[in-house]
Amino acid sequence: MAVWIIEDKCTGCGLCAKTCPYGAIAIEDKLAHVNERCTECGACLAACKFEALASDLEQEPLPDLSGYRGVWVFAEVQDGALAQVSLELLGEGARLAADLGQDLCAVLLGHGVAGLAADLAAFGATRVFLADDPGLVEYSTLAYARVLAELVRAHAPAVLLMGATPLGRDLAPRLSRRLDLGLTADCTGLAIDQETGNLLQTRPAFGGNVMATIVTPRVRPQMATVRPGVMGLPTRRAGTPAVVVRHPVVLEANDGLVRLLARQARTSQAVDLSQARVIVAGGRGCRGAGGFALLAELAQALGGELGGTRVAMEEGWISPERQIGQTGLTVRPELYLACGISGAIQHRAGCLGARYIVAVNRDRRAPIFQVADYAIAGDLFKVVPALMEALKGVD
Ligand SMILES: Cc1cc2nc3c(=O)[nH]c(=O)nc-3n(C[C@H](O)[C@H](O)[C@H](O)COP(=O)(O)OP(=O)(O)OC[C@H]3O[C@@H](n4cnc5c(N)ncnc54)[C@H](O)[C@@H]3O)c2cc1C
């Protein structure tokens, strides 16, 4: 056990047990006991007023990580172009690199993709690590993990960021396991701790009820994924070309064990809410398909798309690709019109990037009003038709 109790200091006060998020401490006979649920998170150590807890980790000196330098962004290629999330991460990465006083670099894997290095430079990368090989023409878990791991071992970056896309969600955990690193998935905020230089990785935790900031002080690179749309898109600038560092690719037979057999285009009409300028979203307050039909009319009148809460998705009033929030999409429209939505933290996580939030709710204390730029306290079945009526006179 890496966390233990110093018995002659423990008073059995129970503060540590109350603080432990995993229920890993029990008080028996006026003494704290740590059980197998302990994850060594260290929360109890900070809570104990009597210094009656200790851990292995606390006593181990921090390793010298000064040789790890640079903020890397994995440049995901989708249909021959850079994925938008990679560009968003370059914008965020540039800020982190400036705070660290280090370079912003991109890692580009594929075949015939060298031309994309210019795009990466235009979005801030000063150096592009390029692995161009016929074996990388299609994404393959093992081949990509091998090449990326080789690059990380050879060049030792301090930070590695990836998009939380289907590809990123497959590749990032594979790489972190291969290199024995930590990985913080679905971050909503990234910053540099000025004192230690550690990456502060913020994400919702415990069902979205708290925002946790995670640090990885003992290993490098610090790996994090971010969902598309969470960070803003930086402006493209014409500037200095990036230095391209070519990496020789040598794949092994086993790297081809997972192969792409075929691609099948989605047959249903796909919607992409991440690009919508206006979203009219509904929740339980819409009461059913009828309420959503009303919102769809408003969305059409505003040239926007229909979205909704998880409740609306679970009830079958909207399709899953229209769910907004922590387990749905993150959107950044100009206008987000929330109708009959309470504004639970898990929903707000997906819409806070909107330029304007307008909320319609009949409960004046609804949490959505705390984040709304304009609040309409009223019954949506009266407010929405009134809005449509008012729109009739507008071009
Ligand atoms: C791990 C986890 C992940 C989650 N992920 C998501 C997610 O991605 N997205 C998401 O949305 N939720 C998510 N949730 C669920 C979330 O916690 C809330 O339960 C959900 O967002 C509530 O949806 P709602 O606002 O539609 O319903 P409710 O909370 O029931 O709110 C309905 C609102 O409608 C108002 N209302 C009722 N009638 C009217 C009317 N006639 N006119 C105007 N207002 C009216 C009410 O006053 C109320 O405020 C998640 C939860 C967990 C635990």
Side-chain angles (χ1 to χ4, degrees):
M1 182 69 64
V3 174
W4 66 89
I5 310 294
I6 304 167
E7 293 192 2
D8 52 351
K9 288 190 179 174
C10 179
T11 63
C13 72
L15 254 183
C16 53
K18 277 190 202 141
T19 311
C20 176
Y22 303 99
I25 303 181
I27 308 296
E28 285 163 28
D29 300 329
K30 292 193 180 163
L31 204 62
H33 295 268
V34 182
N35 63 36
E36 69 290 343
R37 287 194 214 143
C38 176
T39 65
E40 302 163 31
C41 73
C44 56
L45 273 75
C48 180
K49 289 182 188 161
F50 307 101
E51 297 179 354
L53 288 127
S55 85
D56 288 341
L57 218 52
E58 212 188 21
Q59 287 163 14
E60 252 176 56
L62 284 172
D64 177 14
L65 301 167
S66 56
Y68 292 84
R69 295 186 67 76
V71 175
W72 282 21
V73 172
F74 175 76
E76 184 172 335
V77 180
Q78 292 173 350
D79 300 324
L82 293 170
Q84 183 162 314
V85 67
S86 303
L87 306 181
E88 293 164 1
L89 288 177
L90 282 171
E92 191 62 14
R95 212 172 45 78
L96 301 173
D99 284 353
L100 282 168
Q102 297 178 11
D103 286 340
L104 174 66
C105 310
V107 202
L108 181 59
L109 272 57
H111 186 46
V113 290
L116 296 175
D119 290 334
L120 292 165
F123 283 97
T126 54
R127 191 173 285 261
V128 176
F129 294 98
L130 172 68
D132 193 310
D133 187 85
L136 301 175
V137 69
E138 292 285 1
Y139 171 68
S140 141
T141 310
L142 299 174
Y144 271 54
R146 167 186 294 282
V147 174
L148 203 45
E150 284 170 4
L151 278 161
V152 167
R153 284 196 194 101
H155 300 280
V159 173
L160 173 56
L161 307 177
M162 295 173 80
T165 57
L167 187 156
R169 286 180 196 279
D170 183 60
L171 182 58
R174 180 72 65 155
L175 184 72
S176 79
R177 182 67 197 91
R178 208 169 260 216
L179 296 174
D180 214 5
L181 304 170
L183 169 64
T184 309
D186 294 348
C187 292
T188 52
L190 295 169
I192 298 295
D193 179 345
Q194 290 303 333
E195 215 170 288
T196 59
N198 287 327
L199 181 67
L200 304 173
Q201 305 152 62
T202 302
R203 55 151 297 145
F206 298 109
N209 291 314
V210 292
M211 296 303 280
T213 297
I214 294 156
V215 284
T216 339
R218 291 177 182 273
V219 285
R220 293 290 184 271
Q222 302 155 95
M223 274 187 74
T225 65
V226 178
R227 292 199 292 169
V230 171
M231 306 296 177
L233 189 64
T235 333
R236 187 187 173 98
R237 292 178 208 281
T240 341
V243 175
V244 177
V245 182
R246 285 187 177 265
H247 179 77
V249 177
V250 184
L251 298 177
E252 291 184 6
N254 276 355
D255 295 331
L257 283 178
V258 182
R259 280 183 298 124
L260 180 78
L261 296 181
R263 274 175 190 273
Q264 195 167 354
R266 232 193 244 190
T267 45
S268 66
Q269 255 200 341
V271 283
D272 185 6
L273 287 200
S274 63
Q275 302 300 320
R277 286 172 59 79
V278 175
I279 294 176
V280 179
R284 200 193 310 266
C286 294
R287 287 189 224 142
F292 269 89
L294 192 63
L295 297 197
E297 269 183 64
L298 180 58
Q300 198 181 9
L302 290 167
E305 286 287 352
L306 191 64
T309 63
R310 186 160 98 173
V311 169
M313 189 277 290
E314 284 168 349
E315 293 288 345
W317 303 336
I318 53 163
S319 52
E321 71 263 25
R322 294 186 187 271
Q323 183 199 320
I324 290 152
Q326 189 190 321
T327 42
L329 284 173
T330 304
V331 292
R332 305 175 76 87
E334 291 288 309
L335 171 65
Y336 189 77
L337 187 54
C339 303
I341 291 177
S342 59
I345 187 167
Q346 296 90 353
H347 183 76
R348 295 199 313 247
C351 64
L352 281 183
R355 179 136 188 226
Y356 295 107
I357 298 179
V358 178
V360 183
N361 199 302
R362 63 180 182 190
D363 176 2
R364 288 173 179 269
R365 289 161 309 162
I368 192 77
F369 285 150
Q370 291 164 14
V371 293
D373 299 284
Y374 295 94
I376 306 175
D379 184 336
L380 73 93
F381 291 96
K382 291 184 184 152
V383 174
V384 173
L387 282 175
M388 283 201 294
E389 198 52 41
L391 280 170
K392 277 187 187 159
V394 182
D395 281 340

